[in-house]
Amino acid sequence: MVKATTPSTATIIFAYLVVYIVWGSTFFFIEKSLHAFPPFVLGSIRFIIAGTLLMGYCYFKGYKIFIKSAVKDAAMVGFLLLFVDMAAIIWSEQYISSGIVSILSAATAIWFIILDKPKWKENFTSVPTLLGLILGFLGVFMLFAEQIFSPNAHSADNDNKLTAMIVLTLGTIGWTVGSLLSKYSKEKRDQKAAVENGPKAEAEDLNVMVKTAWQMVVAGTAFTTVALLNGEYARFDFSAVAIEYWGAMVYLALMGSILAFSCYIFLLQVRPATEVSTYAYVNPIVALILVHFFTNHEVTKMQIIGLAVVLFSVLLMNWNLYVNSELIKKYKRRRKIKKLRHMAPKSSIPRIVEVAEYGKTRLKKAKENNESEKKTTAKPEFDLDNPDGLGDQEL
């Protein structure tokens, strides 16, 4: 029997850096690519490359490629997440800074609170969640107000910016709906399997990499269809695209859609989901830094304040998730043991540690027994495609 190897600290740090920096930088590289590619051609080429490569990888790894119900769900989710939302992002970046786009994308957590009906009772009875919701709307309003009440508010350029921000907001709603469909459709299929095949049965499902490949293929097909119908491909000259813009395209497909996503899935397997979810706080900061140093867009004080307000609102909306996380529980337990060691005589310290460890073991066994009893009705703690609802993940 081969023992599972624990990943090294360096590997984990590398994966975090990729998820933090690469996903944060995709906003900038989309804006850069738009200098040479029309918006729907950009989405078409990006997701056809990424989807084809990822599907090929899954095939050679021996993963099952097709299950009708799972592919049907993946197609719907891919249309909403990677076509509707990404089309809104790409189209919007023709008129507004990638920094503003990244901040508004982080505010997606607002729509998870509002649209996740099964969790309304939990969400709307939580003070931190309600405060976060109010602050989230305030942060978004600040960004809109900068465009509406600026000195050039009635110019055609500002009208385009305001329209782009509205389109982007609608796109984030599409992302939320797609994520919730991904979560609850799997639950319904599991419940159906339990009724048909017994309480412990689960619906046959595809590997998360395969589902993502299908999502990318669907998105690439949708982008291609629109680009053909609206004439973007007819007007597009491949030979006129400079090498640097092809480089940006390859970066989006390989680094943003494949490498970063693979690192994200890896981290979910070896680290707590609440810890991995911190990418949602770092990505907009990375995007604003790149905008400040590598574009001619001005990063205003209002944008920085809006970012701070939005990120703090996201923290509050997920406060209960963080407080109840295993990471915080371990930290509190260590502090308690440390305090007892300080207070107790040296001779009693081994006994204190022994009792603490015994209590920890009893708690773990009780939790496992409880989960085993509730397995027939249990809901997944998080969805690998979007475990925390913190915002858009740039695939």
Side-chain angles (χ1 to χ4, degrees):
M1 182 177 177
V2 179
K3 293 183 178 179
T5 57
T6 303
S8 66
T9 302
T11 301
I12 292 173
I13 291 174
F14 172 77
Y16 268 115
L17 289 175
V18 170
V19 172
Y20 284 166
I21 298 173
V22 173
W23 264 349
S25 67
T26 53
F27 294 99
F28 166 77
F29 280 98
I30 287 172
E31 184 176 344
K32 183 177 180 65
S33 299
L34 284 169
H35 287 94
F37 296 93
F40 289 97
V41 170
L42 169 57
S44 168
I45 296 174
R46 176 187 178 181
F47 286 113
I48 285 176
I49 292 173
T52 302
L53 291 176
L54 190 57
M55 189 69 81
Y57 169 81
C58 292
Y59 176 80
F60 285 112
K61 285 286 288 185
Y63 297 143
K64 190 166 186 175
I65 299 298
F66 187 85
I67 298 173
K68 186 177 180 180
S69 59
V71 171
K72 183 180 177 182
D73 288 343
M76 179 60 70
V77 171
F79 181 81
L80 290 169
L81 263 65
L82 300 185
F83 175 67
V84 172
D85 180 63
M86 286 305 305
I89 287 175
I90 294 171
W91 188 87
S92 298
E93 288 200 29
Q94 296 177 105
Y95 306 105
I96 57 177
S97 159
S98 54
I100 296 177
V101 172
S102 69
I103 299 170
L104 288 175
S105 295
T108 304
I110 294 171
W111 305 115
F112 276 93
I113 300 298
I114 293 174
L115 298 177
D116 194 354
K117 188 176 180 180
K119 288 197 172 184
W120 276 358
K121 184 177 180 180
E122 177 186 338
N123 290 335
F124 292 111
T125 56
S126 168
V127 174
T129 301
L130 291 174
L131 287 175
L133 195 61
I134 294 169
L135 280 176
F137 276 116
L138 177 62
V140 171
F141 175 77
M142 290 170 67
L143 296 177
F144 272 82
E146 185 181 39
Q147 305 302 324
I148 297 171
F149 301 113
S150 67
N152 300 318
H154 299 292
S155 68
D157 183 53
N158 253 55
D159 288 343
N160 287 335
K161 288 181 179 179
L162 184 58
T163 302
M165 292 174 77
I166 293 171
V167 168
L168 181 59
T169 301
L170 294 174
T172 61
I173 294 174
W175 173 278
T176 305
V177 173
S179 298
L180 293 175
L181 279 176
S182 176
K183 176 183 177 180
Y184 291 117
S185 62
K186 176 64 168 63
E187 290 180 13
K188 287 180 180 178
R189 285 191 284 115
D190 285 343
Q191 290 171 1
K192 183 179 179 182
V195 171
E196 294 176 351
N197 305 314
K200 294 185 178 181
E202 292 183 359
E204 187 180 13
D205 203 5
L206 295 170
N207 181 280
V208 67
M209 301 288 278
V210 178
K211 288 193 288 186
T212 302
W214 275 112
Q215 291 169 13
M216 291 180 180
V217 168
V218 168
T221 302
F223 271 109
T224 302
T225 302
V226 175
L228 289 170
L229 292 176
N230 70 5
E232 283 188 3
Y233 264 123
R235 298 187 298 270
F236 181 62
D237 182 4
F238 282 86
S239 62
V241 179
I243 189 67
E244 64 174 307
Y245 300 118
W246 280 115
M249 174 68 76
V250 171
Y251 180 90
L252 288 170
L254 300 185
M255 300 292 287
S257 295
I258 295 180
L259 177 63
F261 177 74
S262 299
C263 289
Y264 174 69
I265 295 299
F266 162 75
L267 287 171
L268 284 177
Q269 293 171 346
V270 300
R271 302 300 301 168
T274 47
E275 181 183 298
V276 181
S277 71
T278 53
Y279 78 87
Y281 303 97
V282 181
N283 287 173
I285 297 172
V286 171
L288 276 181
I289 290 172
L290 290 173
V291 167
H292 178 71
F293 286 104
F294 298 103
T295 74
N296 57 3
H297 293 296
E298 180 186 1
V299 178
T300 65
K301 290 182 180 179
M302 183 67 79
Q303 290 173 19
I304 295 173
I305 295 171
L307 172 63
V309 171
V310 167
L311 294 187
F312 185 62
S313 76
V314 172
L315 176 65
L316 287 175
M317 282 185 275
N318 290 276
W319 185 257
N320 293 332
L321 182 69
Y322 295 133
V323 169
N324 296 321
S325 70
E326 196 62 32
L327 199 66
I328 297 297
K329 288 178 180 177
K330 286 180 180 178
Y331 172 73
K332 288 180 178 178
R333 188 160 48 242
R334 286 173 185 168
R335 283 197 63 184
K336 190 173 183 179
I337 293 174
K338 187 177 180 181
K339 185 178 179 181
L340 288 171
R341 280 180 169 175
H342 178 72
M343 294 171 61
K346 287 185 179 181
S347 60
S348 65
I349 289 175
R351 178 60 180 162
I352 290 172
V353 175
E354 181 183 344
V355 170
E357 291 300 320
Y358 176 73
K360 178 182 174 183
T361 304
R362 285 286 299 275
L363 184 63
K364 184 177 180 182
K365 286 183 177 179
K367 185 177 179 182
E368 288 175 352
N369 291 335
N370 188 43
E371 288 177 352
S372 179
E373 290 173 1
K374 294 182 178 180
K375 192 171 182 180
T376 57
T377 58
K379 296 181 179 180
E381 290 297 321
F382 59 86
D383 188 297
L384 281 173
D385 295 326
N386 198 308
D388 42 67
L390 288 177
D392 298 13
Q393 55 193 44
E394 291 306 308
L395 298 178

